[in-house]
Amino acid sequence: MPRKIGVIGMGNVGTMVVQYLLTSGIVDDLVIFDKNKAKAHANALDIRDGLPNLPDHVNIQENDYSALKDADVVISTLGDLGAELHPKDPKRFGDRMIEFPLNTPEVKSVAKHIKVSGFHGILIVVTNPCDVMTYLYQKITGLPKNQVIGTGTLLDSARMKRHVSEAFHVDPRSVQGFTLGEHGGSQFIAWSTVRVLSQPIIPLAKKMHVDLNSIEQSARKESFVVFRDKQCTQYGIAAAAVRLARIIMSDARTEIPVCNYRDEYQTYLSYPVIVGQKGVVRHVHLNLTNEEKKKLTHSADCIKKDINSMN
Ligand SMILES: NC(=O)c1ccc[n+]([C@@H]2O[C@H](COP(=O)([O-])OP(=O)(O)OC[C@H]3O[C@@H](n4cnc5c(N)ncnc54)[C@H](O)[C@@H]3O)[C@@H](O)[C@H]2O)c1
């Protein structure tokens, strides 16, 4: 069976996701979508122009929802970044909640098409606000909750790992641990989960005079620097989305912090889970501190408030 992936939205993020997929060797059939039909077509032509010089052949289709019937994975990268770049109130520059009222009708419409197509694979949601849009996709497609996953704090956890790696002079892949909660303002680094140099980071940071608060602040601030100075973020999020797709396609059963439905919080939020071909295949339990538990409850409340404001 050819391995099939759909990517919805050919903007900064969607095109970068496509680029990584084309060189990943994990896909045979790629279906791309954009509501701007000319843009979708132009991207399909441009991708085909790349194929003669790429190691793997990939079949390209465009804007055909019926093709998703037998897709393994669909990745939603639709959005309206222009609204974040040019807000009416300049103080709201880069505020992902600006996209909330704009992306809601788009996601509702796309989710209906996905449902009608008979798609029964795993849906990965990048579209912001990520937690709310993940909830909305699941509600409208009617797919089981474990089959609808947001990238959530996978990107934020990567940012944390990079900053920790720079402070301790190690490869970021040698840092373990998680940023939890909302992909938004109430997210937090659960320092009790972070390990580096094979040790829990809190005592190690004390010993080595590394300031964890300033690491957390820099990790937050720098995402806005990227957005301000290049008017989008794309490499980091595309790497996160394609890693998640790869885990699913290869049934890797990897522990990964993504936006998933947690019964105890009655909402989608980011918390590590085991992901495989069927989506979330197992929940895990972290031994968080009381302070971290409070932060996670607060983050869940923020997400639920946004979801309720939509109903
Ligand atoms: N979750 C994360 O960590 C994360 C990180 C970066 C960006 N994002 C989000 O990803 C989304 C995409 O970002 P971007 O920079 O690529 O935006 P962009 O504005 O460059 O591109 C969005 C594309 O989606 C298309 N689109 C909109 N509605 C559509 C629909 N109904 N069907 C098909 N296509 C549709 C637009 O025509 C556009 O080409 C945004 O919501 C952004 O906030 C999320």
Side-chain angles (χ1 to χ4, degrees), residues 8-14 33-36 39 77-82 84 99 103 106 110 126-128 130 151 155 183 232-233 237:
I8 300 170
M10 287 293 101
N12 306 296
V13 179
F33 297 82
D34 201 284
K35 74 171 178 178
N36 177 338
K39 192 177 184 183
T77 67
L78 73 83
D80 187 347
L81 205 71
E84 280 190 50
E99 284 189 86
N103 290 347
E106 302 298 337
V110 167
V126 174
T127 300
N128 271 327
C130 188
T151 50
L155 173 59
H183 174 61
C232 72
T233 56
I237 181 57

Side-chain angles (χ1 to χ4, degrees), residues 143-193:
L143 285 164
K145 290 190 175 87
N146 66 305
Q147 288 179 219
V148 184
I149 305 172
T151 50
T153 61
L154 186 54
L155 173 59
D156 309 292
S157 297
R159 286 176 175 147
M160 173 276 286
K161 288 180 180 183
R162 175 170 73 78
H163 283 269
V164 168
S165 77
E166 285 167 4
F168 289 88
H169 308 290
V170 292
D171 181 341
R173 290 169 300 180
S174 299
V175 179
Q176 293 91 43
F178 310 108
T179 298
L180 301 180
E182 181 191 10
H183 174 61
S186 65
Q187 67 176 242
F188 64 98
I189 298 172
W191 288 116
S192 70
T193 67

Side-chain angles (χ1 to χ4, degrees), residues 58-283:
V58 180
N59 300 302
I60 309 297
Q61 283 175 275
E62 69 201 64
N63 275 359
D64 179 4
Y65 278 101
S66 69
L68 296 183
K69 187 178 169 44
D70 59 352
D72 301 286
V73 169
V74 168
I75 306 177
S76 168
T77 67
L78 73 83
D80 187 347
L81 205 71
E84 280 190 50
L85 288 168
H86 309 289
K88 283 186 192 128
D89 175 1
K91 281 195 216 115
R92 293 194 68 195
F93 177 84
D95 178 353
R96 17 177 116 74
M97 291 310 284
I98 290 176
E99 284 189 86
F100 187 3
L102 305 169
N103 290 347
T104 298
E106 302 298 337
V107 166
K108 281 184 179 168
S109 152
V110 167
K112 280 182 199 152
H113 285 301
I114 292 175
K115 185 180 174 142
V116 170
S117 78
F119 172 71
H120 51 278
I122 310 304
L123 180 50
I124 297 176
V125 182
V126 174
T127 300
N128 271 327
C130 188
D131 305 281
V132 184
M133 294 302 144
T134 306
Y135 158 84
L136 192 57
Y137 266 117
Q138 191 280 324
K139 187 177 160 200
I140 295 178
T141 59
L143 285 164
K145 290 190 175 87
N146 66 305
Q147 288 179 219
V148 184
I149 305 172
T151 50
T153 61
L154 186 54
L155 173 59
D156 309 292
S157 297
R159 286 176 175 147
M160 173 276 286
K161 288 180 180 183
R162 175 170 73 78
H163 283 269
V164 168
S165 77
E166 285 167 4
F168 289 88
H169 308 290
V170 292
D171 181 341
R173 290 169 300 180
S174 299
V175 179
Q176 293 91 43
F178 310 108
T179 298
L180 301 180
E182 181 191 10
H183 174 61
S186 65
Q187 67 176 242
F188 64 98
I189 298 172
W191 288 116
S192 70
T193 67
V194 181
R195 291 177 74 86
V196 64
L197 300 171
S198 292
Q199 291 183 47
I201 197 169
I202 295 174
L204 193 65
K206 241 183 222 160
K207 205 161 99 189
M208 293 175 69
H209 307 290
V210 172
D211 181 356
L212 297 183
N213 285 332
S214 84
I215 287 185
E216 184 151 15
Q217 278 164 23
S218 308
R220 265 174 202 270
K221 227 194 286 163
E222 272 188 20
S223 65
F224 288 100
V225 172
V226 173
F227 190 76
R228 185 194 66 204
D229 293 349
K230 63 176 280 205
Q231 277 82 56
C232 72
T233 56
Q234 54 187 172
Y235 295 105
I237 181 57
V242 174
R243 178 175 176 222
L244 186 50
R246 184 188 284 278
I247 288 168
I248 294 162
M249 300 296 280
S250 59
D251 195 20
R253 301 180 72 92
T254 303
E255 185 178 57
I256 191 164
V258 285
C259 175
N260 66 95
Y261 191 83
R262 297 288 302 186
D263 278 333
E264 72 267 45
Y265 294 101
Q266 298 274 295
T267 188
Y268 270 95
L269 52 67
S270 282
Y271 195 100
V273 276
I274 307 298
V275 175
Q277 200 172 26
K278 292 193 162 56
V280 174
V281 293
R282 189 184 287 180
H283 287 271

